[in-house]
Amino acid sequence: MKVDKSVLPILAGLIFVLPSAVMVWSQGASPSTASTTQANAVRTATLEVVVTDKSGLPVSGLDAKSFTLLDNKKPQSVTGFREVHAMNAASDPPVEAVLLIDNLSSGFAVLADLQRNLTEYLQKSGDRLPLPMSLVFLTDQGLKMQGKPTRDPKIMLANLESNPTVQQATQMSAGYDRWMEIRQKSLTALDVLAVDLNKRPGRKLVVWISPGWAAFEAETSQKTAKEREALFTFIVGISTLLRESGITLYAVDPRGANTRGSTGDSRYETQDYERSGNNQQYKDSIGGNNFKYKDYLKGVTSPKQADNGDLMLQMFAAQTGGNVLFGSNNTAQLIDRCLEDAQSYYELTFTLPNATQANEYHGLQVQIDKPGLKARSRMGYYAQP
């Protein structure tokens, strides 16, 4: 029997995330209080909704009657509604931004351009950033969380300069094992960051600056029933943990015009690398992730549907209500587009339907009654009986 090694090491490395799958959706709930929360469950949820116009800018001033919330295509009564302007210093609950610089999946040239771009962005930010921000670096050694959230661009600039990304990017071997290792370390980092942010109140806009990692979706067919069950359990767990931590994820590809056909990394474009068609597949996989994730937007309802493609960075961004941005050489401009979501958004509170089975997937959809407007929010959740 052939074992798909692209998944099993990931699950083994992230097994600690699985207990979160039994959590009740209660914004800001701590894993240590999950059982108490479930026993006294109010069974309500609050959904953050960004409404944009045709140009993609946030729209303010809407009332509750403008919204229709569907849970598994069934209309739900909205029991609570409010508009939030999170860039106000007195925002309650608070909203913060986390800029994660991924040194694993980008090349030296891309990282050098990114560092220059972010330096210029912070230097031109005046005396005050639009939101409290912090920097996180993903390296071969794991996550390095640099500083507490701050609105002072000088502090952010000092944190950036003390962590030169190009120097931290170490030489890596190419090939299947390395692509698998990058995905494992990236998913581990996502889990560790979510657990850490769960300790802080409010909403977190996590801007993950990276082309993402190989999806390995072509190998899903090799999985046994047991492996698909494990993959589904992991998907449920990480999805729930991101919700419980109040995270909206954004996938920002810093490679500019080279977003589709290249990794932007000469380390993977050596003669040895190009000789292997299998390895070329994973390079091309990353190159197309900014489009491919759209094939997986329906949500995973059972182990039979679990696919390696459901673990793409871009997929997590879409599922949490964030955005997938690419194709610009100005990464700072893309970051600003992410932060625009905090200018004005809406909170819709509704009663959770009773689940008939464990890990029951519920797709969410928000409709707006005004033409030309679009709503973006978390796309679904896993309910428990």
Side-chain angles (χ1 to χ4, degrees), residues 227-305:
E227 289 167 352
R228 283 182 180 270
E229 182 73 40
L231 178 58
F232 176 68
T233 303
F234 175 72
I235 291 170
V236 173
I238 194 67
S239 173
T240 303
L241 179 59
L242 290 171
R243 288 200 312 269
E244 296 292 343
S245 301
I247 291 175
T248 302
L249 189 65
Y250 299 81
V252 172
D253 193 330
R255 295 173 298 165
N258 296 322
T259 54
R260 188 181 182 98
S262 172
T263 61
D265 193 339
S266 60
R267 291 172 293 176
Y268 298 125
E269 296 172 9
T270 64
Q271 184 178 358
D272 289 339
Y273 183 85
E274 295 291 352
R275 277 203 300 263
S276 170
N278 194 38
N279 288 338
Q280 181 68 35
Q281 170 190 333
Y282 304 124
K283 185 180 98 171
D284 293 342
S285 176
I286 289 182
N289 278 357
N290 290 324
F291 306 91
K292 188 188 306 176
Y293 78 95
K294 295 181 180 180
D295 295 334
Y296 299 91
L297 291 179
K298 291 184 178 180
V300 184
T301 62
S302 69
K304 290 183 179 180
Q305 291 186 343

Side-chain angles (χ1 to χ4, degrees), residues 155-230:
I155 295 177
M156 284 282 289
L157 184 59
N159 290 338
L160 178 64
E161 292 175 345
S162 66
N163 291 272
T165 57
V166 177
Q167 293 181 19
Q168 290 189 5
T170 58
Q171 289 289 345
M172 301 184 296
S173 60
Y176 178 96
D177 289 340
R178 181 56 189 177
W179 287 115
M180 183 184 67
E181 181 183 3
I182 288 175
R183 188 175 72 151
Q184 179 173 346
K185 289 186 175 182
S186 299
L187 289 170
T188 300
L190 178 61
D191 181 272
V192 170
L193 181 63
V195 170
D196 183 78
L197 293 180
N198 184 269
K199 303 172 186 176
R200 307 209 289 256
R203 187 183 182 195
K204 299 92 179 180
L205 309 184
V206 176
V207 182
W208 196 297
I209 306 173
S210 168
W213 44 84
F216 297 97
E217 77 282 4
E219 300 178 15
T220 301
S221 61
Q222 301 172 9
K223 288 184 176 11
T224 65
K226 185 176 181 180
E227 289 167 352
R228 283 182 180 270
E229 182 73 40

Side-chain angles (χ1 to χ4, degrees), residues 112-126:
D113 287 342
L114 174 59
Q115 178 125 350
R116 287 192 293 269
N117 206 226
L118 290 178
T119 297
E120 183 178 357
Y121 170 74
L122 293 170
Q123 289 174 339
K124 293 182 177 181
S125 294

Side-chain angles (χ1 to χ4, degrees), residues 336-357:
D336 271 341
R337 286 182 59 187
C338 299
L339 302 186
E340 283 177 357
D341 281 1
Q343 286 183 4
S344 179
Y345 65 92
Y346 303 87
E347 290 184 345
L348 278 60
T349 300
F350 65 103
T351 301
L352 292 170
N354 292 325
T356 58
Q357 61 185 20

